[in-house]
Amino acid sequence: MILTIIISVLFFVCAFVVFIGKGDWMIAGYNTSSKEEKEAINIKRLRLVVGSTLCISTVAILIPLAFYNPRDIKVGLGVGTAILIVSFIAVILANSWCKKK
């Protein structure tokens, strides 16, 4: 239970850092891309997508603590599935909506 709270707090802190614009180095792929590739990306939209994904993942991790036994396998599978779906949507948005036209 404590580990779940610690992970949630870390996700939330990372989301805050990304939202304020100081966490671009944490965005996978962006920090290693060339200058030309970085110019082709709308960084404000990418920050919004990554920060929102982290916030939604934080909520998905904390909801079972409030209502259910976090050691229940069904709840764990639900949380894992929710995070996978949110991550899948974030990848699609990052590769389409965040590109400059």
Side-chain angles (χ1 to χ4, degrees):
M1 182 169 164
I2 297 296
L3 182 62
T4 306
I5 294 171
I6 292 171
I7 291 171
S8 299
V9 169
L10 286 174
F11 273 31
F12 186 73
V13 168
C14 289
F16 179 75
V17 170
V18 168
F19 277 136
I20 64 170
K22 301 292 183 183
D24 295 344
W25 59 272
M26 290 190 294
I27 300 174
Y30 183 78
N31 60 349
T32 58
S33 59
S34 67
K35 186 175 181 179
E36 294 82 23
E37 291 171 335
K38 287 182 180 181
E39 289 174 357
I41 297 172
N42 186 336
I43 189 61
K44 290 182 181 179
R45 287 183 178 180
L46 186 61
R47 288 177 189 146
L48 181 67
V49 168
V50 173
S52 299
T53 303
L54 287 167
C55 286
I56 292 169
S57 297
T58 301
V59 171
I61 291 170
L62 289 177
I63 284 176
L65 287 179
F67 299 107
Y68 304 108
N69 179 3
R71 296 175 197 254
D72 186 11
I73 189 70
K74 293 177 186 177
V75 174
L77 288 174
V79 169
T81 304
I83 291 174
L84 280 175
I85 291 170
V86 168
S87 299
F88 182 72
I89 293 168
V91 167
I92 292 171
L93 285 174
N95 286 310
S96 60
W97 187 58
C98 297
K99 299 279 183 171
K100 287 183 181 174
K101 296 180 182 182

